[in-house]
């Protein structure tokens, strides 16, 4: 059974986009309370009735938008939810993500253009980031090859310089941020890995790949007119926000730290108080 | 401009009301020719339409009802305001809305005059009022005063607090309706002579309003809702009891008028709303129209705490805040005010808003924002309040029943987007250190999947996540599935869940009694057991129905008949413990003889259960099946005949009603047959099992008996001895723990399963881990 993955808005308790609503409370209350037996919890449960399918939706939403096709498929089977419309499109995004993660940026750019050439045209910043990452990867291969102390011969960097001249330098003047980024990237060629200052070293961190991959995923989703961010992210943030608010207001009902339902609660306390 | 508006006798509605009123107008189109016209006008645009619609609706409206002079004045005045503030493009729809509103308003008045209700005309206010009207008509308006129709102020449409209030209100109404059906309504009350005469005296000018004397209110008032503190309803009217003597509350609590005499300079008369502003809405706003200022009027509009004296204007007393019309000053808990805004007088619309997020309050005059008047409002419960002190002063309040003059909706949206931005900026690193956002989300999802028994998904998710991480590192590692240990319970639960979802309740019962004996006999799970049994009955009926309907598909029939026949008796459950024990022994035996061979994909208990079933391939006649159903039904009834709880009896009645229909699918109780009903039961059973695991120690003791009866065979070989020793050791440890941890009740209240399934780090619950180790020992 295939159908559009649409939110179960039907019930008045359903998840809404209203920040004043307490969906995140109910969400975390549910997650924290699953399997609890005490009476207070059971009373709350009445309030949470029917949220299970909402949570299923939230999870499916995450699996689809963040690219977990295998899990999404199984989840659809196990929950009797509708199958996400297009598992293949998820896999497509996963392939791009994996390519970026493993440093095959050129491949990734090719795949993105195959999906929709407009994506990168409409997101020049993303395009620049990808190219910057590609330059970093070219430099990285050189750096990795010359792991010893000796200086790297300058001609090894020729492909990197050529790439920077051809691809990045024409874009750099359009935005001061590009210029800074380009300069920082080029600086990677000056230092040996051991002496590199931290601010440049972070360019070589795989975290950057992750970030660019996430941005790419978002851009592809946006280009398809889908929500760029999974609902659960906003739920988690709303939960964190609520905690910050509660702390600021010094609401004394709340035990600190607040449980978000991932840890066992101290038995002496018995009941974790949810916001 | 002004004269044009006057000649049309038009008035305005703010643009934000367009959507709602367009809907409303469309909704009433079938009942009201005016609204049809109005809706048509609202859809068209341009100045010509504006004029046509305006004259058309105005003529029609005035042809039917006589508007009170004051209202007309008010409308004209506000129309001028509107013309000054809004572009012409808004006006057509505003007019249509106005037409709708005028209709509903005047209708409401006439309704009040002849004391009859009219559902059709109440509908324009909002969709729920149709309900209300029906209810009212049936109940003879018994509780009208204390149950004014529920309304949602436009800016609070997305407020969950208000949604909750509405739900509670709906429930209350349906209760009342049931009540009314049981007890036919008493004849309508005749107002006593004294009260009606007083009405005449007091309301010469406003004969259209029936003033409800307080005495009558006391009789009609329902006992105060005990959960009132919890629900925090919206202010809906001026309080009948909470006002000074010289002040009169009119028009169902929406208007106040000064009728007394002031003795001293300071003395005034104030009134508070029936409820305080609920903090939950974030932003509260109401508007007061000065219908008449009187001579040298002195009016204060604002809010005050519950205990503030009402013989002075709000703002002058501690715990009260107000904006006064004579000088335009704002007063915050003191008699000396600060210059704040313009003065206001007759026909001005003054809005008052409190922002609970920032602790600020502001006022508006005729739709114009006047800026923050007070900040740091710390009072806990503040009531909308107005005070007047000169004869002839007359105010009307709008708590949101009608559209507001000020664009409060936009302010609400802005407020929401501020919060949204704040939320978007929130740093997640402190929420659950050391997890970052991604790890946190993965933990949550993993825990949920494992908990709910979505084993396959959990595995696939783990694999996907692993792949994702591997793509980042240079040295890929094969995916290490950590199933086995933690998944056993999840797998079991999934089997149970699956069989319930498939409608095979017998199999589910079998699984439950095998994996988790006596779960269903627990007191608190009795209801679930009952529902399972009912479901079984329903499933039997379903098969029956299928059998009679689809005779051309013998395969399904045979299957269903076979499984039906296998376990058709209620008392079968009582035999289960013995079976279970045997099975467990059997299982352990087999496991032991198999040595350390890893557990296969297909579960032994599963196999046993299905092999024990007598496979009847023979085709059972429909009639026989019906007999079976009947027998089972009779047993079901017998088992629960002494359970007088209404929900139990109702469920039984509904179930048995299925038998009465020739085509149960099409009957009123046909919904029971829908497979979607299985989901809820499946969830509840899962919850019950988790609850059982939660107080594992006592549960464990029962299982211990089973282990101790183990066949001597098991003790012979070395690995078996080790296994048994392990069982005993763990049991002892558990007993010790139980002794240490104190009484069972505390454990019940305590926390239970916290399992991460894939995420081992989450496995912190000792009880659970102990329990699982023992629970899965035979499978080692």
């Amino acid at each position: 059974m295939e159908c559009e993955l649409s939110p179960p808005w039907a019930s008045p308790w359903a998840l809404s986009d209203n920040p004043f609503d307490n969906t995140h409370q109910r969400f975390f209350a549910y997650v924290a309370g699953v399997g609890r037996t005490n009476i207070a919890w059971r009373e709350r449960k009445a309030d949470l009735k029917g949220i299970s399918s909402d949570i299923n939706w939230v999870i499916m939403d995450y699996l689809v938008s963040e690219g977990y096709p295998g899990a999404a498929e199984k989840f659809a089977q196990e929950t009797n939810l509708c199958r996400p419309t297009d598992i293949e499109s998820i896999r497509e995004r996963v392939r791009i993500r994996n390519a970026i993660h493993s440093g095959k940026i050129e491949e990734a750019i090719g795949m993105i253009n195959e999906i929709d050439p407009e994506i990168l045209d409409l997101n020049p910043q993303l395009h620049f980031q990808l190219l910057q990452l590609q330059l970093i990867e070219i430099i990285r291969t050189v750096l990795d090859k010359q792991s010893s102390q000796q200086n790297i011969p300058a001609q090894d960097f020729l492909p990197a310089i050529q790439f920077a001249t051809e691809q990045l330098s024409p874009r750099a003047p359009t935005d001061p941020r590009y210029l800074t980024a380009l300069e920082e990237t080029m600086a990677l060629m000056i230092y040996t890995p051991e002496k590199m200052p931290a601010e440049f070293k972070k360019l070589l961190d795989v975290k950057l790949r992750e970030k660019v991959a996430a941005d790419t995923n978002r851009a592809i989703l946006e280009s398809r007119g889908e929500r760029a961010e999974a609902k659960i992210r906003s739920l988690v943030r709303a939960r964190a926000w609520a905690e910050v608010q509660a702390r600021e207001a010094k609401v004394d009902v709340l035990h600190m730290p607040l449980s978000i339902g991932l840890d066992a609660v101290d038995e002496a306390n018995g009941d974790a108080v949810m916001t | 401009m002004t004269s044009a508006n006057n000649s049309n006798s038009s008035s305005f509605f703010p643009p934000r009301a367009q959507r709602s009123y367009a809907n409303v107008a469309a909704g009433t189109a079938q009942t009201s020719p005016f609204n049809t016209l109005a809706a048509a006008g609202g859809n068209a645009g341009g100045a010509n339409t504006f004029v046509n619609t305006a004259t058309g609706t105005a003529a029609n409206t005035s042809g039917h009802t006589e508007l009170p002079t004051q209202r007309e004045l008010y409308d004209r005045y506000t129309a001028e305001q509107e013309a000054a503030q809004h572009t012409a493009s808004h006006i057509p729809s505003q007019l249509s809305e106005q037409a709708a509103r005028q209709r509903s308003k005047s209708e409401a008045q006439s309704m009040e005059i002849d004391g009859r209700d009219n559902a059709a005309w109440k509908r324009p206010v909002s969709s729920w009022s149709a309900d209300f009207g029906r209810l009212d008509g049936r109940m003879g308006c018994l509780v009208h005063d204390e149950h004014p129709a529920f309304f949602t102020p436009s800016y609070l449409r997305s407020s969950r607090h208000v949604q909750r209030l509405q739900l509670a209100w709906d429930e209350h109404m349906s209760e009342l309706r049931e009540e009314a059906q049981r007890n036919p309504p008493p004849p309508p009350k005749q107002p006593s002579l004294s009260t009606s005469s007083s009405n005449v005296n007091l309301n010469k000018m406003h004969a259209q309003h029936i003033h409800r004397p307080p005495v009558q209110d006391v009789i009609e008032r329902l006992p105060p809702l005990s959960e009132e503190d919890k629900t925090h309803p919206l202010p809906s009217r001026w309080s009948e009891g909470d006002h000074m003597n010289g002040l009169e509350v009119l028009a169902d609590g929406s208007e106040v008028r000064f009728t007394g005499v002031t003795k001293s300079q300071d003395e005034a008369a104030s009134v508070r709303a029936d409820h305080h502003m609920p903090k939950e809405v974030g932003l509260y706003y109401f508007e007061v129209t000065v219908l008449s200022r009187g001579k040298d009027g002195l009016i204060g509009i604002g809010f005050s705490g519950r205990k503030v004296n009402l013989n002075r204007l709000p703002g002058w007393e501690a715990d009260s805040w107000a904006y006064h019309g004579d000088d335009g000053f704002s007063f915050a808990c003191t008699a000396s005010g600060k210059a704040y805004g313009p003065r206001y007088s007759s026909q001005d619309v003054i809005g008052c808003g409190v922002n609970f997020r920032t602790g600020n309050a502001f006022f508006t005059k005729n739709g114009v924002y006047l800026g923050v008047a007070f900040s740091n409002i710390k009072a806990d419960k503040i009531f909308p309040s107005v005070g007047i002190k000169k004869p002839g002063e007359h105010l009307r309040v709008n708590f949101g029943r009608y559209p507001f003059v000020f664009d409060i909706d936009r302010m609400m949206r802005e407020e929401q987007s501020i919060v949204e931005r704040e939320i978007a900026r929130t740093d997640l690193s402190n929420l659950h250190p050391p997890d970052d956002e991604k790890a946190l989300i993965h933990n949550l999802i993993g825990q949920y999947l494992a908990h709910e028994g979505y084993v396959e998904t959990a595995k696939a998710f783990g694999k996907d996540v692993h792949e994702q991480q591997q793509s980042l590192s240079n040295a890929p590692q094969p995916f290490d599935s950590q199933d086995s240990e933690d998944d056993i319970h999840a797998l079991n639960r999934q089997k149970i869940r699956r069989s319930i979802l498939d409608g095979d309740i017998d199999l589910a019962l079998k699984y439950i009694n095998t994996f988790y004996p006596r779960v269903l006999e627990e007191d608190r799970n009795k209801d679930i057991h009952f529902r399972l049994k009912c479901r079984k009955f329903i499933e039997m009926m379903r098969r029956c129905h299928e059998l009679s309907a689809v005779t051309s598909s013998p395969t399904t029939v045979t299957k269903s008949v076979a499984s039906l026949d296998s376990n058709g008796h209620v008392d079968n459950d009582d035999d289960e413990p013995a079976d279970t024990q045997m099975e467990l022994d059997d299982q352990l035996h087999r496991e032991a003889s198999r040595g350390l061979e890893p557990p296969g994909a297909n579960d032994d208990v599963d196999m046993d259960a299905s092999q024990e079933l007598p496979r009847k391939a023979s085709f059972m006649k429909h009639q026989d099946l019906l007999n079976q159903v009947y027998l089972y039904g009779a047993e079901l009834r017998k088992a629960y005949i002494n359970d007088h709880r209404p929900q139990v009896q109702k469920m039984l009645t509904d179930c048995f009603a299925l038998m009465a229909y020739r085509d149960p699918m099409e009957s009123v109780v046909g919904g029971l047959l829908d497979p979607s009903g299985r989901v809820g039961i499946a969830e509840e059973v899962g919850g019950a099992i988790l609850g059982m695991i939660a107080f594992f120690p006592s549960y464990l003791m029962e299982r211990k008996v089973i282990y101790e009866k183990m066949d001597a065979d098991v003790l012979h070989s070395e690995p078996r001895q080790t296994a048994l020793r392990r069982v005993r050791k763990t049991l002892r440890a558990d007993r010790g723990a139980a002794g240490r941890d104190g009484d069972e009740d505390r454990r019940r209240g305590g926390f239970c399963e916290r399992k991460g399934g894939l995420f081992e780090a989450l496995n912190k619950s000792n009880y659970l881990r102990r329990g699982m180790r023992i629970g899965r020992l035979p499978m080692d």
Side-chain angles (χ1 to χ4, degrees), chain A:
Chain A
M1 178 172 61
E2 281 205 13
C3 69
E4 204 61 40
L5 182 67
S6 61
W9 277 183
S11 76
W13 308 112
L15 307 162
S16 81
D17 289 322
N18 175 10
F20 285 101
D21 98 4
N22 66 346
T23 305
H24 70 276
Q25 288 173 21
R26 302 195 309 127
F27 179 76
F28 286 100
Y30 183 88
V31 175
V34 280
R36 272 211 228 164
T37 50
N38 58 345
I39 293 156
W41 163 242
R42 279 216 249 154
E43 277 170 7
R44 290 211 61 151
K45 214 172 166 187
D47 186 39
L48 299 170
K49 210 173 175 193
I51 197 182
S52 189
S53 59
D54 286 353
I55 295 184
N56 285 350
W57 180 85
V58 164
I59 286 178
M60 184 58 113
D61 172 55
Y62 180 81
L63 297 178
V64 169
S65 63
E66 302 274 319
Y68 299 101
E73 216 162 353
K74 288 279 184 220
F75 197 55
Q77 283 168 14
E78 284 191 304
T79 55
N80 295 338
L81 270 180
C82 300
R83 259 182 101 235
T85 3
D86 194 1
I87 290 276
E88 189 44 41
S89 82
I90 309 176
R91 292 196 196 282
E92 223 165 45
R93 280 185 285 124
V94 171
R95 277 196 294 275
I96 293 170
R97 182 184 69 197
N98 287 349
I100 297 175
H101 277 181
S102 49
K104 297 170 196 148
I105 311 297
E106 205 174 348
E107 206 178 295
I109 292 178
M111 283 193 277
I112 297 169
N113 285 332
E114 228 169 83
I115 294 177
D116 186 356
E118 275 199 352
I119 295 173
L120 291 180
D121 290 346
L122 294 174
N123 296 283
Q125 205 183 336
L126 178 67
H127 197 180
F128 184 84
Q129 277 182 326
L130 281 166
L131 292 172
Q132 185 199 0
L133 198 58
Q134 194 174 352
L135 178 59
I136 292 172
E137 297 306 332
I138 296 172
I139 298 172
R140 192 201 306 273
T141 44
V142 181
L143 293 177
D144 285 351
K145 231 187 291 168
Q146 304 287 336
S147 52
S148 52
Q149 289 291 329
Q150 66 210 355
N151 282 341
I152 300 160
Q155 66 265 24
D156 282 9
F157 282 121
L158 269 181
I161 292 168
Q162 196 187 352
F163 180 81
T165 336
E166 281 171 12
Q167 298 286 336
L168 285 162
S169 55
R171 293 164 202 271
T174 55
D175 192 325
R177 280 174 301 173
Y178 294 174
L179 210 57
T180 331
L182 181 57
E183 280 165 8
E184 279 178 3
T185 317
M186 297 304 277
L188 291 176
M189 292 187 259
I190 302 168
Y191 299 98
T192 57
E194 292 77 20
K195 290 175 189 161
M196 201 173 286
E199 53 183 304
F200 298 126
K201 214 160 196 166
K202 72 170 196 281
L203 289 177
L204 290 172
D205 195 335
V206 284
K207 283 239 165 76
L208 185 68
R209 289 181 183 173
E210 262 187 296
K211 186 189 166 293
V212 175
D215 287 348
T216 312
N217 190 39
R218 204 169 301 141
I220 298 173
L221 283 175
E222 262 166 21
S223 79
R224 291 189 179 146
E226 286 165 40
R227 267 186 336 285
E229 192 184 67
K231 181 80 187 170
I232 194 170
R233 284 187 186 269
S234 55
L235 289 175
V236 168
R237 268 206 305 276
R239 172 62 181 71
W241 176 80
E243 183 169 333
V244 171
Q245 294 293 308
R247 286 215 173 125
E248 275 171 12
K250 300 204 169 51
V251 183
D252 51 352
V253 228
L254 303 171
H255 296 230
M256 304 288 175
L258 304 180
S259 161
I260 59 166
L262 279 174
D263 300 312
V265 177
D266 184 8
E267 272 184 51
N269 274 340
D271 196 359
V273 179
M274 298 304 304
T275 47

Side-chain angles (χ1 to χ4, degrees), chain B residues 119-184:
Chain B
W121 288 121
K122 295 205 89 183
R123 195 169 301 179
V125 182
S126 179
S127 56
W128 39 257
S129 56
D131 260 0
F132 178 67
R134 267 206 311 280
L135 170 73
D136 243 353
R138 203 183 299 157
M139 295 179 61
C141 229
L142 183 64
V143 286
H144 184 106
D145 272 307
E146 290 310 306
H147 292 89
F150 191 88
F151 62 93
T152 305
S154 56
Y155 64 102
L156 294 177
R157 232 167 248 138
S158 57
S159 160
R160 273 185 43 81
H161 180 67
V162 174
Q163 285 168 5
R164 205 175 299 153
L165 289 178
Q166 179 157 7
L167 210 74
W169 191 87
D170 289 345
E171 273 169 21
H172 186 54
M173 280 293 120
S174 61
E175 270 170 30
L176 285 176
R177 209 169 290 147
E178 274 175 29
E179 187 77 21
Q181 273 172 349
R182 277 199 292 275
N183 316 314

Side-chain angles (χ1 to χ4, degrees), chain B residues 617-684:
Chain B
S618 63
F619 184 85
M620 199 187 275
K621 276 179 195 163
H622 181 221
Q623 200 54 43
D624 294 345
L625 195 53
L626 257 183
N627 278 341
Q628 284 258 348
V629 177
Y630 182 76
L631 280 174
Y632 180 71
E635 276 176 67
L636 194 60
R637 191 204 298 270
K638 212 171 93 193
Y640 287 94
I641 194 83
N642 291 323
D643 197 335
H644 295 296
R645 281 173 302 171
Q647 69 267 31
V648 169
Q649 291 306 321
K650 182 173 185 310
M651 184 74 189
L652 284 178
T653 321
D654 284 355
C655 284
F656 297 143
L658 284 172
M659 297 187 76
Y661 293 95
R662 194 177 174 81
D663 187 1
M665 281 287 187
E666 303 298 321
S667 68
V668 280
V669 286
L672 285 174
L673 292 173
D674 195 80
S676 64
R678 295 166 182 165
V679 180
I681 299 172
E683 267 171 28
E684 283 195 25

Side-chain angles (χ1 to χ4, degrees), chain B residues 18 20 47 70 102 218 275 300 302 356 437 552 577 599 703 708 774 778:
Chain B
Q18 279 178 21
S20 63
Q70 279 197 337
Q102 278 184 351
V218 174
H275 300 294
F356 289 100
E437 185 183 0
S552 56
R703 300 204 91 176
E708 292 204 332
I774 293 171

